Amino acid sequence: MAVMTTTDAVIADDLAYAEAVETAVKAAAAYYAGGDSALDDDAYDRLVRAIVAWETDHPEQVLPESPTGKVAGGAAEGDVPHIQPMLSLDNVFSAEQFATWAASLERRIGRPVAAWSVEPKLDGLAVAARYREGKLVQLITRGDGTAGEDVSHAIGTLAGLPETLAEPVTLEIRGEVLMTAAQFERALAVRTEHGGEPFANPRSASAGTLRAKDRPYRLEMTFFGYGCLPLPAIDAALAERLSGSGHSDLMAYIADLGVHTTAATQVPARTATAVEEVQARVEEIAALRAELPFGIDGIVIKADAAADQQAAGSGSRAPRWAIAWKLPAVEKVTRLLNVEWNVGRTGIIAPRAVLEPVEIDGSTVTYATLHNPNDITRRDLRIGDQVMVYKAGDIIPRIEAPLAHLRTGTEQPIAFPETCPQCGSGIDTSEQRWRCERGRDCHLVASVSYAVGRDQLDIEGLGLTRVVQLTDAGLIKDFADLFTLTRDQLLTLERMGPTSTDNLLAAIEQAKSRPLSRVLCALGVRGTGRSMSRRIARYFATMDHIRNTDAEAMQKVEGIGVEKAPVIVAELAQLAPVIDKLVAAGVNMTEPGATPPSADGAEGAMALGPLHGMTVVVTGAMTGPLEKLSRNQMNELIERAGGKSSSSVSKRTSLLVGGEGAGSKRTKAEDLAIRIVSPDEFAELVADLLL
């Protein structure tokens, strides 16, 4: 049920129709073969809708290779048969179209739909994961819907798809593989570092990565389950147990088995009993689209009850009890005004596009990423070009392509820097990403400002102006030099009297006692941030153990893969002089409550804290003893107390800390009968750690 929209192209004649079919077939083939299609999901959908419109008016001219009416546009193939067909979804694009579809479904089953499940339509690649006695044994792509490609080589690489379930059951879990915003940005960096062309978008990146077997690097992806298929012939007991379970019940079941579902996101699936409720939920999810850490291209609406699904049945391409409400594309055309060259904390020289302001997905975009100089050359970008700008989730907007056919002849080539724009030193151009030859020393002010920030060393009184003063005066060459500053040195600076000097020295002294995770974060190692620094510190317990580890041992830390581990180890080696100065200055190099891993590599145990084994969600404004803590500091506090911090409420949540203005998360916690405490009550629970 593909419905034309006002933005769809119109095919004028049979020649244009043939060209459109050829373009669609090539795009689908490229996507399902390697994930490198030039068309994103929305552009492909619009093209196919135009083809459908032409074929509806000219049924006698339908070409046999047309992608219409075929799962995956007829492009995907596979040799592993599916237990049940793995179908696509039909689409609607408005409240009116959904109401019409819902009414037709209720006429088909002869009664009102008992309940609707409403969940985000994740923009990734559908796969089937087969478990035998709780062990993941096979991964299969959707393929043509009847058979798919075996991609079991990807087992162990997908976050959210455990290799062992919480129960030894035999079943098939179907879901979507995608890259989150953070994973996609990391994938772009890793791919270009290895000489590859940047991925077109997160969806094609996921498709290509899932199939890749011979790359010299690995990229992280995430799995979200959306279906559960019991296997009566193999596990009759489970099939009987789940018999008659609706969609929402099945999703709750696989979540309890340890599989990611949308229940763990900011937009969990919910049920509604009326069409108006469905429409309200669609609007709610659409409004959150720009804030999500992963791409969505619509909302999936399903008849939730098994009886309603069975009564509706399925067609050859799509089930009749489910529909995809597609959202508008998150791309617009605007003009490239300029290119700025910025230097990061590690010396990376990154181009940034300056755009004529354009509104995309509810926000005004004035800048976009350009990845690296090779990317600019490959795309033949020029100042003054009309460009297609793409945005999805929290990913920084990026330029998809110049519209060369709109050029007027006034466009100018983009000038590349010959020396470092920050310090004037030479540029190392030996890799895809250019770097200042001085590396970290190039951007000393930014590096030090980051290190003393609230979520790192938290040194009060060291704002940007003061850091500039210290560097200009030659008093610091890196942030470790802060710990050897003397009172006499500080008094020589402008606007530094005795009181402000003593206060700053006291704040620096206090920073010496920060936990190792904060110190590690302050170092600014590529591939680590606040949460990853906490994981590394908790695993190794001391800086000595971190510095003495190799890439293989570093991979044992949750979230660190084969491509990230050697980068972290190498950067720590480069930072040895800074770390040595920190140690000599008496800065703490241990993580409270953590013990080092054993000689055989087994992870050390954290001391049992008051939140041991608990999953804690924090929402609303904190007050009392917690008032000055940032959300990151709250997460750090939870983990030091033995708990696990989470951003979403689910059945696995143990405790919710509800501050002022707590909204939907508190409501959901109440619905799930989860324990809720005030900031003051939580402060009492972790009182020993607040001292």
Side-chain angles (χ1 to χ4, degrees):
M1 182 178 175
V3 183
M4 291 284 286
T5 70
T6 56
T7 59
D8 288 332
V10 176
I11 295 176
D13 52 37
D14 55 354
L15 178 60
Y17 165 68
E19 291 176 346
V21 168
E22 182 181 7
T23 300
V25 169
K26 286 182 178 179
Y31 171 72
Y32 285 100
D36 57 353
S37 172
L39 297 181
D40 65 15
D41 193 34
D42 182 76
Y44 178 79
D45 283 348
R46 280 186 272 128
L47 182 61
V48 171
R49 290 198 296 271
I51 293 172
V52 169
W54 170 267
E55 292 176 348
T56 300
D57 293 337
H58 306 83
E60 74 286 352
Q61 296 185 21
V62 174
L63 295 172
E65 62 269 29
S66 170
T68 60
K70 301 173 184 176
V71 173
E77 299 179 354
D79 54 9
V80 182
H82 288 303
I83 298 166
Q84 290 182 12
M86 209 167 172
L87 304 178
S88 300
L89 291 175
D90 284 331
N91 303 323
V92 294
F93 299 88
S94 68
E96 294 77 15
Q97 292 170 9
F98 170 69
T100 300
W101 174 83
S104 68
L105 174 60
E106 292 184 336
R107 286 195 299 271
R108 175 180 289 275
I109 66 176
R111 59 178 180 268
V113 170
W116 301 98
S117 170
V118 187
E119 58 193 351
K121 184 178 183 296
L122 305 175
D123 195 10
L125 185 76
V127 299
R130 294 179 179 174
Y131 284 88
R132 184 177 291 274
E133 297 180 353
K135 302 293 184 182
L136 181 56
V137 296
Q138 194 172 32
L139 278 179
I140 310 159
T141 65
R142 183 172 63 184
D144 64 0
T146 60
E149 177 186 351
D150 192 313
V151 289
S152 300
H153 58 270
I155 289 176
T157 67
L158 305 178
L161 188 66
E163 294 184 58
T164 304
L165 298 176
E167 296 180 21
V169 291
T170 298
L171 77 170
E172 180 174 294
I173 295 174
R174 294 179 171 182
E176 202 84 3
V177 172
L178 54 80
M179 285 187 182
T180 64
Q183 287 170 338
F184 182 61
E185 287 299 296
R186 175 62 182 160
L188 288 172
V190 171
R191 186 168 169 87
T192 53
E193 284 172 2
H194 284 82
E197 303 244 340
F199 293 112
N201 51 60
R203 190 170 189 263
S204 61
S206 301
T209 299
L210 187 66
R211 292 181 171 84
K213 293 182 179 179
D214 55 357
R215 286 178 180 167
Y217 56 89
R218 295 174 69 184
L219 302 176
E220 297 176 349
M221 295 183 291
T222 301
F223 177 90
F224 286 96
Y226 63 64
C228 175
L229 189 63
L231 308 175
I234 303 175
D235 196 334
L238 179 67
E240 176 65 24
R241 175 179 164 192
L242 298 180
S243 176
S245 295
H247 175 73
S248 57
D249 292 334
L250 290 174
M251 291 303 94
Y253 173 68
I254 66 171
D256 288 340
L257 291 178
V259 176
H260 272 183
T261 69
T262 57
T265 72
Q266 301 96 313
V267 283
R270 292 183 186 169
T271 55
T273 57
V275 168
E276 293 75 19
E277 290 181 54
V278 172
Q279 293 171 351
R281 179 59 177 157
V282 167
E283 292 174 2
E284 183 181 352
I285 294 175
L288 292 170
R289 186 184 188 187
E291 304 172 15
L292 300 179
F294 47 78
I296 68 171
D297 59 354
I299 293 92
V300 176
I301 305 158
K302 301 175 180 177
D304 190 66
D308 287 346
Q309 294 181 8
Q310 291 164 3
S314 298
S316 61
R317 196 191 74 89
R320 298 189 182 97
W321 44 266
I323 200 78
W325 185 325
K326 299 300 285 283
L327 297 175
V330 284
E331 59 185 15
K332 290 285 183 68
V333 174
T334 188
R335 188 177 301 279
L336 176 62
L337 301 179
N338 197 7
V339 172
E340 297 177 346
W341 297 87
N342 301 313
V343 184
R345 288 183 291 108
T346 60
I348 294 291
I349 301 172
R352 182 173 74 161
V354 182
L355 305 172
E356 195 170 89
V358 60
E359 185 170 323
I360 305 179
D361 202 23
S363 61
T364 300
V365 173
T366 53
Y367 298 101
T369 184
L370 288 172
H371 305 306
N372 56 58
N374 279 352
D375 186 45
I376 293 174
T377 301
R378 182 179 65 85
R379 296 175 187 270
D380 188 27
L381 286 169
R382 305 175 191 177
I383 302 298
D385 268 341
Q386 293 284 344
V387 293
M388 182 71 73
V389 181
Y390 177 88
K391 179 185 178 189
D394 285 340
I395 299 172
I396 299 171
R398 69 180 188 278
I399 290 179
E400 194 82 347
L403 304 181
H405 63 284
L406 296 180
R407 284 176 175 158
T408 64
T410 60
E411 295 78 15
Q412 297 295 317
I414 294 172
F416 291 0
E418 297 180 357
T419 59
C420 173
Q422 177 69 28
C423 68
S425 299
I427 298 176
D428 179 0
T429 61
S430 61
E431 298 182 5
Q432 293 269 345
R433 302 176 78 192
W434 291 5
R435 185 190 295 265
C436 173
E437 290 179 346
R438 294 182 61 202
R440 292 172 181 274
D441 292 341
C442 170
H443 222 294
L444 179 59
V445 171
S447 178
V448 174
S449 295
Y450 172 80
V452 303
R454 187 180 184 189
D455 291 328
Q456 288 71 249
L457 296 177
D458 193 17
I459 302 180
E460 190 173 349
L462 265 182
L464 179 62
T465 301
R466 193 68 69 207
V467 171
V468 170
Q469 273 189 306
L470 291 169
T471 56
D472 286 349
L475 297 180
I476 56 173
K477 301 298 182 184
D478 51 56
F479 80 89
D481 289 337
L482 294 170
F483 296 99
T484 59
L485 288 172
T486 66
R487 193 170 190 270
D488 288 342
Q489 286 176 321
L490 292 176
L491 286 171
T492 63
L493 300 177
E494 186 178 353
R495 297 187 300 280
M496 281 294 286
T499 300
S500 56
T501 294
D502 292 340
N503 289 341
L504 179 55
L505 288 173
I508 292 173
E509 184 65 27
Q510 187 177 13
K512 290 182 179 180
S513 61
R514 303 284 184 241
L516 171 61
S517 55
R518 296 281 202 95
V519 178
L520 188 60
C521 190
L523 288 168
V525 177
R526 279 188 297 167
T528 69
R530 296 170 299 192
S531 60
M532 184 58 72
S533 294
R534 290 198 297 269
R535 291 181 206 166
I536 295 172
R538 288 200 306 273
Y539 185 90
F540 291 105
T542 71
M543 180 62 82
D544 282 343
H545 280 89
I546 295 175
R547 297 177 73 180
N548 292 329
T549 196
D550 57 19
E552 183 178 356
M554 186 63 73
Q555 290 178 46
K556 295 180 180 179
V557 178
E558 179 188 358
I560 297 181
V562 293
E563 75 281 352
K564 185 181 290 186
V567 173
I568 295 174
V569 171
E571 290 235 352
L572 285 168
Q574 294 173 9
L575 288 165
V578 178
I579 298 172
D580 289 341
K581 287 198 287 186
L582 292 170
V583 172
V587 175
N588 172 62
M589 292 290 165
T590 62
E591 186 68 7
T595 56
S598 60
D600 61 3
E603 183 177 356
M606 289 288 292
L608 298 183
L611 303 179
H612 175 67
M614 300 175 69
T615 298
V616 183
V617 175
V618 179
T619 185
M622 295 297 99
T623 54
L626 309 178
E627 183 177 7
K628 294 184 178 181
L629 297 186
S630 67
R631 192 64 88 229
N632 180 64
Q633 289 170 328
M634 283 293 295
N635 293 340
E636 180 184 79
L637 180 61
I638 291 166
E639 293 171 11
R640 286 174 55 206
K644 178 182 178 181
S645 60
S646 176
S647 61
S648 60
V649 177
S650 70
K651 291 181 178 179
R652 294 190 292 275
T653 303
S654 311
L655 182 71
L656 181 130
V657 184
E660 294 179 358
S664 60
K665 291 182 182 179
R666 184 184 185 105
T667 301
K668 185 172 182 181
E670 291 171 345
D671 293 342
L672 295 174
I674 292 168
R675 181 186 174 193
I676 301 174
V677 298
S678 68
D680 287 343
E681 290 171 324
F682 183 75
E684 291 181 12
L685 281 175
V686 295
D688 291 344
L689 298 174
L690 289 172
L691 298 178

